[in-house]
Amino acid sequence: MSRVIHFEVHVDDMERAKKFYGEVFGWKFEDWSDFAGMPYFGAVTGDGDDMGINGALMQRQTPPPEMNAAVNGFACTMGVEDLDATESIILSNGGKVAMAKYALPGMAWQAYYTDTEGNIFGLHQPDESAK
């Protein structure tokens, strides 16, 4: 089997995207632009001993996705402790609700959002009482 080991978020405005993901999820960024040959910032998403992967913000090379278009690629989902609190931070930093919070019965709460660059991502809050 092959596991996902890295992700890339395509962005139009690198500083705006770094601010959004830094404020919402606390991600830290490392400038890897010289290595990549374009604006490219490694995203450190957590402690190396915790489950999860790191990724990057990369300069978008094509037109951005149209609003309300189907996802063309992968939607990354971030685990959170409090979906409602995280949603508030997303909205206050320019994100929008793409699919409102709903229950995965007996497992979790799930919701999807659009970031400041037009990309869709998910939130997942484990909760066995969700229904």
Side-chain angles (χ1 to χ4, degrees), residues 14-86:
M14 189 64 71
E15 293 306 312
R16 179 176 64 198
K18 284 171 35 185
K19 180 182 182 311
F20 180 83
Y21 284 99
E23 292 290 328
V24 173
F25 297 113
W27 294 358
K28 306 293 183 209
F29 298 96
E30 300 170 354
D31 190 347
W32 297 344
S33 301
D34 288 340
F35 176 75
M38 70 172 82
Y40 194 96
F41 283 79
V44 178
T45 65
D47 185 290
D49 294 330
D50 294 339
M51 185 174 71
I53 62 173
N54 293 323
L57 303 179
M58 100 178 256
Q59 190 66 50
R60 190 184 310 279
Q61 304 296 301
T62 62
E66 293 184 29
M67 288 300 283
N68 300 317
V71 174
N72 183 15
F74 296 96
C76 294
T77 296
M78 274 58 83
V80 297
E81 291 183 23
D82 185 334
L83 195 146
D84 295 327
T86 305

Side-chain angles (χ1 to χ4, degrees), residues 63-115:
E66 293 184 29
M67 288 300 283
N68 300 317
V71 174
N72 183 15
F74 296 96
C76 294
T77 296
M78 274 58 83
V80 297
E81 291 183 23
D82 185 334
L83 195 146
D84 295 327
T86 305
E87 178 178 289
S88 179
I89 298 168
I90 289 167
L91 298 177
S92 69
N93 280 279
K96 296 182 170 96
V97 175
M99 183 181 289
K101 175 180 165 182
Y102 61 94
L104 299 171
M107 182 193 315
W109 295 101
Q110 184 80 22
Y112 291 87
Y113 302 87
T114 304
D115 70 8

